[in-house]
Amino acid sequence: MSEPINIVKSTFVPVKIENIDTDQIIPARFLKATTKVGFGKNLFRDWRYENDDETAPKKDFILNNPEYKGEILVAGKNFGCGSSREHAAWSIADYGFKVVVSSFFADIFKNNALNNGLLPVQVSDAFLQKIFAQPNGTTLTVNLEAQTITIDATGESESFAINNYKKTCLLNGYDDIDFLLSIKSDIEKFEEAQA
């Protein structure tokens, strides 16, 4: 089981770049592990370090700026395009983000995120620009049950869509097997009725 998600209220980290592909999120040379743990240290690896040297962080990359932190990553349009690697969602979640906000997600990345306890929130281009315009330290509130995202400083809010099955799984911290186990008695009753 994953950690359930319902309301996430947090400052956010803005990465104002469009078309961020999965190789930028987690470079292919770091895909050797078979568990989901440890990928966060390589999130945006090539953007974070000079010459792949962890002791030489690039000063102009936002994840290296200690003033920016939070559980919500806000990125430009077409986030997660490129290859279908599931490790992209693993690295974002392992780094500590619970929510990714963009005005468009690549389908495979979006599904990988939902399958790994990471909530992708798709907003309009106009609302994304309003978020980007907020000063550092502004909090956002993402309410999965209500399917809304709010800029707390202004009260501006927008609703977002999510598959009902995936919403149930995220609210309860279920993967597909956990969900089936949660309805085991209903399945058994159905089987008995069919016998």
Side-chain angles (χ1 to χ4, degrees):
M1 288 184 66
S2 302
E3 182 180 336
I5 294 177
N6 186 6
I7 296 173
V8 178
K9 180 182 178 81
S10 173
T11 53
F12 64 93
V13 178
V15 179
K16 301 176 186 178
I17 300 171
E18 294 188 352
N19 304 312
I20 297 176
D21 67 43
T22 52
D23 196 52
Q24 293 162 323
I25 296 170
I26 181 82
R29 63 187 182 280
F30 299 109
L31 306 184
K32 298 172 185 167
T34 56
T35 65
K36 300 176 184 180
V37 180
F39 286 93
K41 69 178 184 178
N42 295 316
L43 175 65
F44 298 122
R45 176 74 179 214
D46 293 337
W47 292 352
R48 285 170 68 187
Y49 301 110
E50 300 285 354
N51 302 316
D52 207 15
D53 180 356
E54 290 181 25
T55 64
K58 293 181 179 178
K59 293 180 181 174
D60 61 343
F61 188 60
I62 200 157
L63 289 188
N64 295 328
N65 185 338
E67 294 180 9
Y68 288 89
K69 56 187 174 185
E71 296 179 320
I72 302 173
L73 174 67
V74 180
K77 187 175 186 175
N78 197 26
F79 186 82
C81 56
S83 77
S84 59
R85 66 188 66 167
E86 190 172 12
H87 308 70
W90 295 358
S91 65
I92 295 168
D94 191 59
Y95 186 84
F97 291 114
K98 294 181 176 176
V99 176
V100 181
V101 178
S102 178
S103 59
F104 184 82
F105 291 97
D107 281 345
I108 294 174
F109 172 81
K110 186 174 185 177
N111 286 323
N112 285 338
L114 290 167
N115 289 337
N116 287 283
L118 179 67
L119 175 59
V121 173
Q122 187 165 324
V123 298
S124 67
D125 286 323
F127 196 77
L128 182 67
Q129 295 312 313
K130 287 179 182 178
I131 295 172
F132 280 146
Q134 299 304 308
N136 182 26
T138 300
T139 58
L140 303 176
T141 298
V142 175
N143 185 324
L144 176 57
E145 181 69 41
Q147 295 181 217
T148 59
I149 177 170
T150 303
I151 302 170
D152 294 327
T154 66
E156 294 171 280
S157 186
E158 192 168 280
S159 61
F160 62 88
I162 185 169
N163 172 290
N164 281 336
Y165 168 67
K166 291 301 181 186
K167 178 179 176 179
T168 298
C169 288
L170 288 173
L171 286 170
N172 293 286
Y174 292 160
D175 62 19
D176 292 338
I177 300 300
D178 295 325
F179 178 78
L180 285 175
L181 291 173
S182 77
I183 60 171
K184 182 179 178 183
S185 63
D186 292 337
I187 294 171
E188 290 171 343
K189 287 176 188 172
F190 176 80
E191 288 176 340
E192 289 173 10
Q194 303 303 311

